[in-house]
Each structure stands twice: as structure tokens, then as C-alpha cells.
Amino acid sequence: GERAAARQAFSEAITLSQASGDVFTTILATIGLGNVQEAENQLHLAAETYQRAVQLAGDQPIQIIYEAHLGLARIFYEWNDLDAAEQQGRQSLLLARQYEQVIDRFIVCEVFLARLKLAQGDVAEASAILAQADQSARRQNFLYRIPEVAAAQVLTLLRQGNLAAAAHLTQNLGLPLVQARVFLAQGDA
């Protein structure tokens, strides 16, 4: 939670890694700096920082760059540029899937894309993406990602008007915000 110290540490890491010619660490630190800027709601600055990380990677197939694309996708989503958000989100998913057997981040990308599809009004596509994410999380034993997938599934069920299924799913989640959304949808403020 010490963002100022994190920002300073990432800035120092960028300087040191650039001086030593360590492009990979420069990219990692740049993405970390973008994450801090995004958390501080400095979205324009964060977008520039994420874009710099993408440029540093160039044409190299560096898997970690998915995080910069996902950061850009979240920012475009916040700016209601849903087409750009989808483009960046899909690029992020493409890169994250390269390591899906060992790293769970592709599920985060899928959940983002499902929420984006909900924002675009495509409930069926959101549901399909989440079903795939749930299946992948279970198959690859990324069980700690299931609540995140289920929370997005609840939003999809609410959008479909299936309050009973949404309420049933929230019983086992232990996520108060999701439960509150179900109660509100049921008219229980």
C-alpha cells in the first residue's frame, strides 16, 4: 500500500536496468510503474507507461507484456473506448495463453473480456467466455481463480435476469460486493 515508495523503487529499477542494458527488467519495472500509476488513477500517465513497455518489447514474444496490454485494456474500458479495450484485452489473452499450462493470468484476461462483453451487451459471449475460464481453472487446478470467475458469472446471471441462479452462486463465494449486487437485484436494499 505504499505507492510512493513503490513508484520510487520502480523508477530506480528502470534507471538501473536501462544503464545495464537489461531490457527484460526494464520492461518489468515499467509495467510495475504503470500498475502504480493506474492504482493512483493517473490513467493518462499509466497508459503512456504501459505503451512504453509495449514499445520496449517490440516484436519480441515476451509473455510478460500481456500485463501492459491488460493495463491498457482496463484504461480504455474506463474511458469507455470499448473497441480499443477489446483489442488490447485480446492481445493480452493471446500472450498470456502462451504459458497457460503454468501461469494463471490468462484467466484474468478472460474475466476482463467477459466483463467487457457484458458492457457491450453481449451476454451470450460473456457467458461462453466465463464457462471456458471456469473449466480451464478447474482443469489446470487454478482453484483460487474460481471466485473471480464466479463473481463475473453472477453479473452475467443478473444481466440475464436469473436471480435464483445468481443468489445460489453467491452463497458459496464469500464475496460481499457480489452478494450486495444480488440483494439489490432482488429488491432487498
Side-chain angles (χ1 to χ4, degrees):
E2 297 180 29
R3 292 183 186 148
R7 186 175 43 259
Q8 180 62 33
F10 282 126
S11 295
E12 288 175 19
I14 291 168
T15 301
L16 292 172
S17 59
Q18 284 176 332
S20 68
D22 184 353
V23 176
F24 185 74
T25 302
T26 302
I27 291 169
L28 287 175
T30 301
I31 291 169
L33 180 60
N35 286 333
V36 171
Q37 292 164 338
E38 184 182 355
E40 292 180 326
N41 205 29
Q42 298 175 333
L43 299 185
H44 289 283
L45 191 56
E48 290 174 11
T49 302
Y50 288 138
Q51 192 58 47
R52 192 172 2 175
V54 170
Q55 290 168 349
L56 282 168
D59 293 334
Q60 301 175 47
I62 299 174
Q63 181 267 344
I64 191 61
I65 207 66
Y66 83 88
E67 187 71 43
H69 285 288
L70 187 58
L72 286 167
R74 289 189 303 260
I75 291 169
F76 284 127
Y77 182 90
E78 286 296 317
W79 290 340
N80 202 33
D81 187 346
L82 300 184
D83 291 337
E86 183 171 5
Q87 179 184 2
Q88 292 294 327
R90 291 206 179 277
Q91 182 64 29
S92 180
L93 178 59
L94 179 70
L95 292 165
R97 277 212 174 273
Q98 292 176 9
Y99 297 93
E100 72 179 68
Q101 298 303 318
V102 292
I103 300 174
D104 66 347
R105 299 304 288 173
F106 73 97
I107 294 172
V108 174
C109 297
E110 288 177 329
V111 170
F112 171 81
L113 285 171
R115 288 178 180 258
L116 176 70
K117 286 298 174 183
L118 278 178
Q120 292 173 328
D122 191 346
V123 180
E125 179 67 14
S127 182
I129 291 170
L130 291 170
Q132 178 181 335
D134 183 68
Q135 183 181 30
S136 295
R138 293 175 191 282
R139 182 179 62 245
Q140 293 172 245
N141 208 27
F142 297 140
L143 302 181
Y144 48 89
R145 289 288 176 203
I146 290 175
E148 184 177 355
V149 174
Q153 286 173 321
V154 168
L155 296 177
T156 303
L157 291 167
L158 290 175
R159 184 69 62 87
Q160 292 169 332
N162 193 343
L163 300 182
H168 178 72
L169 189 54
T170 59
Q171 289 175 352
N172 301 324
L173 287 179
L175 299 172
L177 182 60
V178 176
Q179 287 179 319
R181 286 184 173 161
V182 171
F183 288 140
L184 287 172
Q186 293 172 328
D188 185 0

